[in-house]
Amino acid sequence: MGEVIELEAFRRKLAADQGFRTWLSRFREQFGPQTRLGDLSDRTLLFLATPGEENLFVIFDLVMGARGWGTSTRFILDDLLNGPTKQLILDLSLRLLDYFRFEVLGRLGWVASFPESAQPLLALLEAVAAAPGHQATPAPALMPDHPAYADYAALIPSERHVFIRRLIPAALADFRQRLEKTEPP
């Protein structure tokens, strides 16, 4: 009798191979179907969370590859991609960008852990794609020992996500400094 291949596991492996294809050469790390936010190296996470067109196109590569749509080159050249598909790619990429930035905040100890950080990136991508509408990514809660916690706590809950997002530039700068101190010259 032949070997039984679980179809869903095969699909996840194929999505990972296609989604992480450009990441493997760019970051020189191993990625697979079970790769989570916490599995990313600090250097890779910093690159993904930093603003910039090149950085966003690397996220496009993951989104498009995992969905079988090719790479960001196809997004740029506009071949075969219609308006709604491009919008979906952009929406999914920006949601992942939020999660990369929340992971930076978490590694700095500024925010509480968030449930999405425990999911594999490809499962997170699928969950975001299945979510109805264009909801904002819920931001994790600020840690009580953060110096700005009193200001955060005084806000109404619906304004707290904006407060967290305003911390991102400082968090990226702190994270970069921390990384530079720990890496050899």
Side-chain angles (χ1 to χ4, degrees):
M1 183 172 211
E3 187 177 329
V4 176
I5 298 175
E6 185 185 336
L7 189 55
E8 191 55 37
F10 177 75
R11 285 184 183 145
R12 283 191 304 266
K13 171 79 169 97
L14 184 61
D17 289 348
Q18 292 175 347
F20 291 121
R21 183 177 334 143
T22 60
W23 286 31
L24 292 169
S25 61
R26 172 175 289 278
F27 300 120
R28 303 205 192 304
E29 296 176 29
Q30 292 300 310
F31 305 100
Q34 298 305 314
T35 300
R36 293 169 169 69
L37 290 167
D39 298 330
L40 301 175
S41 71
D42 286 349
R43 172 73 46 210
T44 296
L45 180 62
L46 179 61
F47 180 87
L48 294 169
T50 300
E53 190 173 284
E54 179 185 359
N55 308 49
L56 187 58
F57 285 131
V58 171
I59 299 171
F60 284 0
D61 283 337
L62 172 62
V63 170
M64 293 176 68
R67 297 185 71 82
W69 293 335
T71 66
S72 60
T73 304
R74 190 168 179 208
F75 186 92
I76 296 166
L77 296 177
D78 196 23
D79 77 327
L80 306 176
L81 293 176
N82 60 29
T85 302
K86 276 193 156 186
Q87 187 62 52
L88 178 61
I89 293 165
L90 186 58
D91 290 345
L92 295 174
S93 298
L94 292 175
R95 291 288 295 273
L96 285 179
L97 178 60
D98 276 344
Y99 290 123
F100 295 137
R101 291 174 173 176
F102 295 158
E103 179 68 15
V104 167
L105 290 164
R107 290 189 191 184
L108 290 171
W110 293 13
V111 297
S113 65
F114 51 103
E116 295 84 0
S117 67
Q119 294 182 37
L121 287 172
L122 296 180
L124 184 58
L125 181 59
E126 288 306 312
V128 168
H134 302 287
Q135 310 167 16
T137 309
L142 192 66
M143 293 297 287
D145 61 348
H146 189 278
Y149 186 78
D151 296 332
Y152 172 82
L155 294 171
I156 60 172
S158 63
E159 292 179 356
R160 291 179 178 171
H161 71 95
V162 175
F163 186 91
I164 295 293
R165 282 177 168 73
R166 286 186 180 146
L167 295 175
I168 291 171
L172 290 172
D174 283 4
F175 196 69
R176 179 175 282 106
Q177 275 187 326
R178 185 180 88 172
L179 185 60
E180 288 169 356
K181 287 180 184 175
T182 60
E183 285 189 342

